Amino acid sequence: MKPSPHPSSGPERPAPAPGLPALPGRRGFLGGLLATAAAAAAGPALAAPAHASARPAAAPAPRATRPLLLGTYTSEAGGGTGIGTAAYDTATGAITPGPVITGVDNPSYLALHPSGSTVYAVAEQDPGAVTAVRLTPDGTYEVLGSRPTGGSGTTHLSVHPSGRWLLSADYGSGSVAVHPIAEDGSLGERTDLVTHSSPPPGPGQGGPHAHQIVTAPDGGHVLAVDLGTDTVYTYTLDESAGTLTEVSRAALAPGSGPRHLAFHPDGRSAYLACELDNTLVVCAYDPATGALTPGPGQSTGTGSGTSYPAQPVVTGDGAYVYLANRGPNSLTRYAVEDDGAALRLLDTVPVGGDWPRQLALSPDSSLLFAANQRSSTVTVFRVGPDGSLTAVGDPFPAPVAVCVLPFP
């Protein structure tokens, strides 16, 4: 895979041996990790108020902790050795480190199965691949093996809401693939591969670069964002055969470099980060047809210079959008208006790290996590009622952090 003309993907990777061997179950992942984190987070009991002295003081409820997974590059200097595990305090955002899931190459993006029992990782290298890892309630994990995507530089993946199909995007080859998911979470042989052969690549691009593939909230359409062709492709997925059929295309400004989109909860608007022209685009979405209609590019609020916006995220109530800007190492906050159809830029805040590659909100949108690739850290922010971001704690060290996945 040739080096990228821009900093979207990681450096060139050595070709791996075909497939990944299954590893035996290992102890101490979820159960032990959460038990340790809960013990560390538990604080002293609070004294009862004076007016309640006649009532016996109730024991304080332990603060909740939830698992957190971390993606990295295993073939990069200073990178990790697999999928990092941790736990986060749902009240304070404090992160407690855990063991590493080894036997997984270059897991730069992660996605959880709806059942919560399996996590899927890309292998961002040439040839590209996707890997399944089973997680069990008693604290074991097992690498179930990997399947080739048929492309190169696999950079993104997502699980179809049915839980039966894994969708992946290959940056290097500009292709998207579909794999069936078995009942045990393992992956079957690829059922489809679509390469974006038109329109021609945008200015300065050597070819198509599929950067994201995601199912729309309506569940009936799959959207693939291609940075190289400045296009978002909409497909329908045949849930019996696992094949994609293109039904619509959305053309972005030439040279804009669309990278990642996020939907408003109502499923009728989406927000698209364009990394090459430093904009965030509000798009109208028609659930009936799958058609995406981009509006004009909006400012990232980062001033002059290249901001390399990476990814937007939307709060669960649809009130705010946040955008990661890698150039100035900042986060932009937007207020959502007009029922999702408009954004109003509010402010930017420092991310507290270098090169924020990916963002994730906790399931209740009370915390925001930023994976900072070049500083090898994860920074955490508390989300206020007004959408404001307040940094909490010290940056959490994580080797070449390029993805953070908080569990619900």
Side-chain angles (χ1 to χ4, degrees):
M1 183 170 66
K2 295 183 179 179
S4 169
H6 54 80
S8 292
S9 61
E12 186 173 351
R13 312 285 175 207
L20 292 175
L23 299 183
R26 302 194 182 186
R27 290 286 171 187
F29 175 49
L30 290 179
L33 180 61
L34 292 180
T36 300
L46 297 178
H51 65 268
S53 58
R55 179 180 298 175
R63 290 206 297 260
T65 55
R66 295 299 298 149
L68 191 75
L69 297 183
L70 303 164
T72 186
Y73 288 119
T74 58
S75 62
E76 183 171 319
T81 57
I83 300 173
T85 75
Y88 71 96
D89 186 310
T90 58
T92 67
I95 300 176
T96 303
V100 175
I101 299 175
T102 58
V104 186
D105 290 339
N106 294 313
S108 64
Y109 201 87
L110 309 170
L112 190 65
H113 191 274
S115 68
S117 61
T118 311
V119 67
Y120 300 94
V122 303
E124 190 175 336
Q125 54 199 18
D126 188 5
V130 286
T131 303
V133 181
R134 181 189 295 130
L135 310 172
T136 62
D138 65 352
T140 66
Y141 74 83
E142 180 184 3
V143 178
L144 300 175
S146 71
R147 296 286 186 177
T149 62
S152 64
T154 312
T155 192
H156 187 268
L157 81 176
S158 61
V159 182
H160 187 265
S162 67
R164 297 179 55 239
W165 304 101
L166 183 70
L167 312 167
S168 58
D170 299 310
Y171 176 86
S173 54
S175 52
V176 294
V178 184
H179 288 81
I181 298 175
E183 288 192 7
D184 67 354
S186 62
L187 297 171
E189 291 291 345
R190 184 181 68 246
T191 55
D192 204 3
L193 177 69
V194 178
T195 299
H196 298 153
S197 57
S198 66
Q205 299 284 8
H209 296 304
H211 216 306
Q212 183 193 32
I213 185 165
V214 64
T215 305
D218 60 76
H221 297 94
V222 172
L223 282 77
V225 181
D226 196 298
L227 190 150
T229 62
D230 297 319
T231 302
V232 179
Y233 303 82
T234 299
Y235 300 95
T236 56
L237 172 68
D238 184 325
E239 293 189 43
S240 297
T243 53
L244 297 170
T245 300
E246 184 181 328
V247 295
S248 181
R249 293 183 185 183
L252 280 297
S256 58
R259 178 183 173 94
H260 271 229
L261 63 76
F263 277 93
H264 187 273
D266 72 1
R268 295 186 175 276
S269 299
Y271 312 105
L272 179 60
C274 293
E275 76 165 72
L276 298 184
D277 71 356
N278 308 328
T279 60
L280 184 67
V281 176
V282 180
C283 305
Y285 176 72
D286 184 352
T289 64
L292 191 75
T293 305
Q298 301 192 26
S299 170
T300 61
T302 56
S304 60
T306 304
S307 62
Y308 296 115
Q311 180 204 12
V313 292
V314 188
T315 55
D317 61 5
Y320 298 95
V321 171
Y322 304 100
L323 178 68
N325 303 295
R326 289 167 293 170
N329 291 325
S330 67
L331 303 172
T332 303
R333 177 175 63 123
Y334 300 88
V336 177
E337 299 179 334
D338 194 17
D339 295 326
L343 295 179
R344 177 166 52 89
L345 194 155
L346 297 175
D347 55 20
T348 64
V349 298
V351 75
D354 189 0
W355 211 250
R357 172 76 171 264
Q358 187 255 354
L359 301 178
L361 286 160
S362 62
D364 63 359
S365 295
S366 65
L367 298 170
L368 183 145
F369 302 87
N372 303 299
Q373 181 174 355
R374 293 180 179 173
S375 59
S376 290
T377 58
V378 173
T379 44
V380 186
F381 297 81
R382 181 175 293 108
V383 180
D386 60 353
S388 59
L389 297 176
T390 303
V392 294
D394 296 324
F396 176 75
V400 189
V402 289
C403 183
V404 55
L405 176 62
F407 277 44

